[in-house]
Amino acid sequence: MRKWTPVPRHVGLYSYDTQKGKRYGIRRGFKNADGKRDEFHPSGFRTWRDADRALKDFESTLAGGHLGPITHRAVTLSKQFESMKKRNLETERWRESTAKGKTYLYNLRLKDAFGDRRLIDISRSDYQAFINKMVIDGYSHNTIKSANSLMQQIMNDAEHLDIIDKNRLKATSIKGGTAPRDVNITRDDFKTWMATAEQDLSRYDFCMVMLLTLGSRREEVLGLQLKSFVREIGPNDQPYYEINYYKARTTGDRTGGALKSDAAYRTNYAITPTLVSLIDDAIEECKKNDAPITPASRTLKHFYI
């Protein structure tokens, strides 16, 4: 191992001999972004002045609190994604179902191409080529946008935490991709579908369908509880239901979890005689069949308590 000799009157600078002549290096201890002791120790400088400039640049970075890009150079995309997921779950910014969906998307679209690569090694040109290949391979525009959205989220998170100096993948161009299929239906088609559902489904299951027509998400309807329904009497002695949303139930959280946003904690109203009658019957069925919801349930066969 080479012997490093302190350079007189220059704290932190050292010289050492090589076959090609004298070279200079730096040794500067500090606490890294994780609060642990670390050392800045580049070497190979041809003159002490070059080494001194590098040390002064480091001192400036240290004073400005921008150590992340230096101390986290080895962070890979997969490591950053897992760190982001863990923090978002711990702070409840993500639900379990959200984390599950993003993990599936990451593993499917980004992991093989970039997972083992360091964040600092993912260039804009490489990433743009990746996006262009998705277009050439015939992926839909929405699929490409979803993959890019997750990549940008990971890189922005790394930038925010000062792990990289900036997200160099911002404003990546997405031109092309197959158009999404048209999912619009006509009013007549909707009426036909609803009439068929009313004819073929049980009153309980048709109630679930009708509740969706109020603008609720599927997981919100599946998360309804008996306490969600308050029966009231309106003008002309006509009954109606006040429907309150407290929980969401998904395949990733079958016992019910938080709703998607603060605005989702809201109240809807069922006022048509048909829907009021369906809810009456559904609630009676729940009370008669006091059985817990099983993971195998495909529909909410009993409003859970």
Side-chain angles (χ1 to χ4, degrees):
M1 184 174 180
R2 297 188 182 97
K3 180 181 179 180
W4 282 35
T5 304
V7 176
R9 298 185 301 279
H10 294 284
V11 178
L13 300 188
Y14 295 81
S15 65
Y16 58 92
D17 294 323
T18 71
Q19 292 180 350
K20 295 182 179 181
K22 183 173 287 189
R23 294 291 185 268
Y24 294 85
I26 300 169
R27 284 180 178 168
R28 169 65 160 89
F30 65 98
K31 283 189 176 180
N32 63 25
D34 297 321
K36 298 178 181 179
R37 190 185 183 286
D38 208 334
E39 185 178 71
F40 179 62
H41 50 250
S43 59
F45 299 99
R46 291 181 177 275
T47 70
W48 68 265
R49 291 181 178 82
D50 291 339
D52 190 50
R53 277 193 293 270
L55 178 58
K56 284 182 169 58
D57 287 342
F58 174 76
E59 295 284 0
S60 177
T61 299
L62 184 64
H66 302 297
L67 283 176
I70 295 174
T71 60
H72 291 90
R73 291 177 65 85
V75 174
T76 64
L77 188 73
S78 286
K79 183 176 180 180
Q80 183 62 26
F81 172 70
E82 292 299 329
S83 173
M84 179 180 73
K85 180 172 69 173
K86 182 174 183 291
R87 280 182 282 106
N88 283 332
L89 284 171
E90 288 175 345
T91 57
E92 297 184 351
R93 294 182 64 186
W94 285 4
R95 296 181 296 173
E96 286 289 346
S97 57
T98 302
K100 184 177 180 180
K102 289 185 182 293
T103 299
Y104 177 79
L105 178 60
Y106 176 79
N107 290 338
L108 184 65
R109 304 296 179 205
L110 301 175
K111 185 176 181 180
D112 288 346
F114 299 105
D116 293 333
R117 294 178 63 174
R118 298 187 306 172
L119 297 179
I120 59 173
D121 293 334
I122 302 175
S123 69
R124 185 179 184 85
S125 59
D126 284 349
Y127 183 65
Q128 185 66 65
F130 167 77
I131 292 295
N132 292 345
K133 187 175 186 304
M134 290 189 74
V135 173
I136 294 170
D137 289 346
Y139 286 96
S140 74
H141 187 76
N142 286 343
T143 296
I144 301 171
K145 281 181 61 178
S146 295
N148 179 61
S149 176
L150 181 56
M151 177 63 107
Q152 299 297 339
Q153 188 174 5
I154 298 169
M155 299 300 283
N156 286 336
D157 183 66
E159 178 184 349
H160 176 71
L161 296 176
D162 200 30
I163 291 172
I164 55 177
D165 57 349
K166 68 175 183 178
N167 174 11
R168 291 179 171 80
L169 309 184
K170 284 181 179 178
T172 296
S173 175
I174 303 176
K175 295 181 179 179
T178 58
R181 64 186 180 88
D182 186 4
V183 295
N184 292 319
I185 62 173
T186 65
R187 182 178 294 274
D188 288 341
D189 287 340
F190 176 76
K191 289 181 178 179
T192 300
W193 193 95
M194 292 297 289
T196 304
E198 184 175 14
Q199 175 182 317
D200 293 350
L201 296 178
S202 67
R203 282 183 61 79
Y204 186 96
D205 289 341
F206 186 59
C207 178
M208 300 298 104
V209 172
M210 288 294 292
L211 288 170
L212 288 170
T213 66
L214 300 179
S216 310
R217 296 182 176 90
R218 287 172 297 178
E219 61 265 29
E220 292 173 345
V221 170
L222 293 174
L224 289 170
Q225 304 164 279
L226 286 175
K227 69 176 183 179
S228 300
F229 296 88
V230 179
R231 200 175 196 274
E232 302 283 3
I233 301 297
N236 301 320
D237 294 326
Q238 293 297 315
Y240 69 92
Y241 272 100
E242 177 184 285
I243 306 173
N244 300 290
Y245 298 90
Y246 303 107
K247 290 182 180 257
R249 193 161 71 88
T250 66
T251 55
D253 194 351
R254 291 180 178 274
T255 59
L259 297 180
K260 197 172 184 67
S261 65
D262 291 342
Y265 293 87
R266 65 197 188 284
T267 299
N268 273 347
Y269 294 90
I271 60 175
T272 64
T274 298
L275 184 51
V276 169
S277 175
L278 287 167
I279 294 173
D280 284 340
D281 291 350
I283 289 176
E284 285 304 311
E285 183 173 339
C286 290
K287 291 178 178 178
K288 287 189 297 183
N289 301 284
D290 187 22
I293 299 171
T294 65
S297 299
R298 296 191 63 184
T299 60
L300 182 57
K301 202 59 183 175
H302 303 91
F303 293 117
Y304 77 96
I305 299 174

